[in-house]
């Protein structure tokens, strides 16, 4: 019996509706539907073009029969979102690269497309947005940072445990790390063991340079007192090391002035004996540095002392004995086995 075109179309439409409805919410493509129709219906076998036309007609007249891409349709429930179309292989590659952190320009260069076209294709097939990519990158960076800290921080702790207080460069050398890594991952609870490297101002003054500074100061002041010398330094009229540095180098002010051939402002009591031993001074420094509520800075020491150790030595006393704050911290936490 000869089947008219209209009858053939109605047969295809009925079968096609059943095929798609049975796979509700699942995308079906023209080749898939045409293959099923060809196997099910008797001759004459409908052409792919006829199946395509019927699918288009159904999508316009049936609200639940939704076109989601070229020659891709799905049967969806009322109010439901149509499923995403399956991504072609080249778009799947774009999405995978985007999720891995590649930029649109990099992907476009690889596939010979503009960045805008890449963005459109990724969006069309459910790929990540720019905000989602940024969030993924943030999470990856955070995880990498946490993992790196977990590996590096124990190395720094081990170096400090073996050598006591030290500079960043020394700790980096012992731990086998770069200085930048050592600074970045220095344990917060061991900040009191971090020494600042000696500045040029402390190291560049030879004995002769110090004596020359005293001679220059004596041109302005006679006799030369520590107060007058410090005032000349502060005003910039002379250049030279601090008074504590001079005391540390020569023992006392009079000895330094005598070596420079300068008359000192007042005699220093050579028989003066401090009531504080070195260990007394270092012990109170350790208490201050280990106080978690304090910033560990030199200029805050006296504030802390007045509150927690009113009978203790002043910062000036400690500095006069040991010199720089870096040297004080180093001595306070030096390991006993390193002390000769």
């Amino acid at each position: 019996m000869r089947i008219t075109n209209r009858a053939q179309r109605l047969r295809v439409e009925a079968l096609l509706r059943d095929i798609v409805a049975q796979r509700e919410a699942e995308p079906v493509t023209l080749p898939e539907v045409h293959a099923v129709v060809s196997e099910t219906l008797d001759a004459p076998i409908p052409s792919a073009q006829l199946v395509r036309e019927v699918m288009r007609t159904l999508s316009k007249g049936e609200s639940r029969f939704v076109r989601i891409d070229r020659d891709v349709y799905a049967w969806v429930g009322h109010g439901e979102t149509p499923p995403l179309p399956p991504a072609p292989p080249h778009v799947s590659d774009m999405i995978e690269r985007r999720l891995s952190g590649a930029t649109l320009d990099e992907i476009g260069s690889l596939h010979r497309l503009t960045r805008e076209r890449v963005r459109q294709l990724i969006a069309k097939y459910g790929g990540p947005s720019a905000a989602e990519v940024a969030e993924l990158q943030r999470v990856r960076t955070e995880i990498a940072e946490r993992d790196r800290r977990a590996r590096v921080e124990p190395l720094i702790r081990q170096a400090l445990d073996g050598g006591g207080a030290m500079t960043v460069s020394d700790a980096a050398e012992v731990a086998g790390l770069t200085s930048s890594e050592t600074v970045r991952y220095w344990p917060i609870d061991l900040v009191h063991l971090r020494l600042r490297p000696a500045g040029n101002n402390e190291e560049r003054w030879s004995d002769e340079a110090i004596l020359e500074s005293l001679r220059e100061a004596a041109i302005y002041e006679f006799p030369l007192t520590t107060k007058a010398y410090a005032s000349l330094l502060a005003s910039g009229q002379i250049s030279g090391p601090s008074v504590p540095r001079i005391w540390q180098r020569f023992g006392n002010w009079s000895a330094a002035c005598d070596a420079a051939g300068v008359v000192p402002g007042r005699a220093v009591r050579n028989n003066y004996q401090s009531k504080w031993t070195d260990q007394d001074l270092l012990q109170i420094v350790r208490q201050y540095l280990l106080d978690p509520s304090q910033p560990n800075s030199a200029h805050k020491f006296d504030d802390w002392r007045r509150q927690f150790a009113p009978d203790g030595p002043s910062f000036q006393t400690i500095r006069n004995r040991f010199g720089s704050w870096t040297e004080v911290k180093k001595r306070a936490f030096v390991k006993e086995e390193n002390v000769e």
Side-chain angles (χ1 to χ4, degrees):
M1 183 177 80
R2 184 173 179 273
I3 300 177
T4 64
N5 289 340
R6 177 171 174 75
Q8 176 80 321
R9 188 181 185 91
L10 290 174
R11 293 174 64 203
V12 171
E13 182 176 323
L15 180 57
L16 192 150
R17 186 192 300 269
D18 290 339
I19 294 172
V20 178
Q22 289 173 7
R23 298 171 60 176
E24 184 173 349
E26 181 182 344
V28 292
T29 65
L30 172 62
E32 291 175 321
V33 174
H34 184 245
V36 175
V37 170
S38 299
E39 293 175 359
T40 305
L41 295 180
D42 297 329
I45 297 175
S47 66
Q49 181 60 33
L50 175 60
V51 174
R52 176 182 287 115
E53 291 174 359
V54 172
M55 293 178 77
R56 288 178 178 174
T57 301
L58 280 175
S59 68
K60 295 176 181 178
E62 173 59 66
S63 61
R64 299 179 64 186
F65 192 85
V66 180
R67 180 176 183 269
I68 58 178
D69 199 10
R70 185 175 184 274
D71 290 336
V72 181
Y73 296 81
W75 187 275
V76 298
H78 291 296
E80 294 180 0
T81 302
L84 292 172
H90 70 288
V91 178
S92 295
D93 180 74
M94 293 180 189
I95 293 174
E96 184 176 344
R97 291 179 184 276
R98 190 69 171 129
L99 288 171
S100 298
T103 66
L104 296 176
D105 287 324
E106 291 171 342
I107 298 172
S109 176
L110 184 65
H111 288 274
R112 298 183 179 180
L113 296 171
T114 65
R115 70 186 311 277
E116 177 58 20
R117 183 54 181 159
V118 171
R119 185 195 66 77
Q120 292 172 352
L121 288 172
I122 290 176
K124 177 179 180 179
Y125 290 97
S129 65
E132 290 170 332
V133 170
E135 177 62 15
L136 284 171
Q137 187 61 35
R138 184 194 67 78
V139 171
R140 288 195 192 98
T141 301
E142 186 177 289
I143 293 174
E145 176 76 4
R146 186 167 59 246
D147 291 345
R148 183 60 180 162
R149 177 175 289 278
R151 292 193 299 270
V152 170
E153 188 173 299
L155 299 177
I156 300 174
R157 288 183 180 277
Q158 185 177 1
L160 296 174
D161 183 62
M166 60 180 69
T167 63
V168 168
S169 59
D170 289 340
E173 183 176 354
V174 173
L177 303 169
T178 64
S179 293
S180 60
E181 285 180 316
T182 306
V183 170
R184 187 180 186 89
Y185 301 113
W186 192 287
I188 296 176
D189 59 312
L190 298 182
V191 67
H192 57 279
L193 294 180
R194 180 173 167 180
L195 302 179
R196 295 185 181 278
N200 291 334
N201 287 338
E202 290 188 357
E203 296 298 323
R204 68 186 178 94
W205 297 106
S206 64
D207 287 356
E208 184 55 39
I210 293 175
L211 297 178
E212 186 58 36
S213 296
L214 293 174
R215 296 184 189 110
E216 184 182 4
I219 297 174
Y220 298 94
E221 295 288 340
F222 180 86
L224 184 60
T225 64
T226 56
K227 183 177 181 180
Y229 176 85
S231 178
L232 290 170
L233 274 181
S235 65
Q237 289 182 275
I238 64 169
S239 62
S242 64
V243 171
R245 173 61 65 186
I246 295 174
W247 280 345
Q248 185 184 32
R249 190 71 63 85
F250 292 93
N252 57 58
W253 183 251
S254 290
C257 288
D258 289 344
V262 171
V263 178
R266 60 179 179 177
V268 176
R269 294 176 294 163
N270 293 328
N271 62 345
Y272 171 75
Q273 294 292 325
S274 172
K275 68 176 181 178
W276 304 103
T277 66
D278 286 0
Q279 287 306 313
D280 291 335
L281 298 180
L282 295 176
Q283 178 60 32
I284 197 168
V285 168
R286 278 192 290 270
Q287 293 176 19
Y288 169 63
L289 293 175
L290 292 174
D291 188 337
S293 66
Q294 299 302 313
N296 303 148
S297 59
H299 70 281
K300 290 291 185 179
F301 176 83
D302 281 332
D303 292 341
W304 174 86
R305 175 184 60 82
R306 281 189 285 271
Q307 182 177 359
F308 297 102
D311 296 329
S314 67
F315 171 70
Q316 191 61 52
T317 298
I318 294 171
R319 186 176 180 185
N320 289 346
R321 183 73 61 86
F322 300 112
S324 69
W325 184 240
T326 294
E327 181 65 21
V328 173
K329 291 173 66 176
K330 185 175 182 179
R331 286 174 176 263
F333 291 100
V334 68
K335 289 288 183 179
E336 292 184 0
E337 58 267 26
N338 294 337
V339 178
E340 296 182 358

